[in-house]
Amino acid sequence: MSRHVLVLSGPNLAALGSREPEIYGTLTLAELESQVLAEAAALGLEATCRQTDDEAELIGWLHEAAAAGWDVVLNPAAFTHYSYAVGDACAHLAGMGSRLVEVHLSNPASREAFRHTSVVARSATGTIAGFGAGSYLLALRALASLTG
Ligand code: DQA
């Protein structure tokens, strides 16, 4: 049975393609997600992609993954920097034994000061940032490389 990975994208990421292309590139979310699904299949993982602008919906999905024992690739977008509720849901997910990889298209550490804080990072197995869609693909490879 292949491992299930939930690939979650937070607020404003549905606008990829037209949103600040000099920072986030020109790939649409649909194109990014089709790369994610292809990479997951090649790695023998079963991935599901979802995006929301809604904090409560994102928290619900993190709890769903925690209950089901799924690993999660999460781009929390702006929630990264201030949502203690998303951070706590990530802590719960990790506490339940799921792996969490935090991803960002850009490298928040090289941008404005408010982006230098992540309230999610403490619960992540690891963080991959700065490689565009490649951050998501590298996260899948990292998960696939972990045993157990
Ligand atoms: C982002 C970085 C965040 O600072 C920003 O709020 C986003 C996208 C990224 O993927 O680079 O919405 O998470």
Side-chain angles (χ1 to χ4, degrees), residues 3-148:
R3 259 159 55 201
H4 197 97
V5 182
L6 201 50
V7 180
L8 301 178
S9 296
N12 301 307
L13 293 172
L16 284 180
S18 59
R19 178 189 176 200
E20 298 180 274
E22 66 286 2
I23 296 172
Y24 298 114
T26 53
L27 211 63
T28 65
L29 183 63
E31 290 165 343
L32 183 156
E33 290 182 344
S34 81
Q35 289 189 15
V36 163
L37 295 178
E39 183 74 11
L43 292 165
L45 301 172
E46 190 193 314
T48 303
C49 299
R50 300 181 192 165
Q51 186 276 333
T52 185
D53 293 337
D54 185 281
E55 190 177 25
E57 186 166 44
L58 182 58
I59 290 166
W61 291 344
L62 291 165
H63 287 310
E64 182 185 344
W70 298 334
D71 290 337
V72 174
V73 173
L74 173 64
N75 184 347
F79 290 148
T80 308
H81 313 303
Y82 69 90
S83 174
Y84 297 121
V86 170
D88 282 352
C90 289
H92 173 57
L93 177 77
M96 293 286 282
S98 291
R99 294 186 182 102
L100 171 69
V101 184
E102 178 183 348
V103 299
H104 300 280
L105 299 155
S106 68
N107 179 6
S110 67
R111 301 178 61 196
E112 303 97 313
F114 78 88
R115 298 185 202 275
H116 298 177
T117 297
S118 168
V119 299
V120 165
R122 72 187 169 98
S123 303
T125 305
T127 300
I128 301 171
F131 299 98
S135 295
Y136 285 69
L137 307 183
L138 289 166
L140 291 174
R141 283 188 214 167
L143 286 174
S145 75
L146 298 170
T147 52

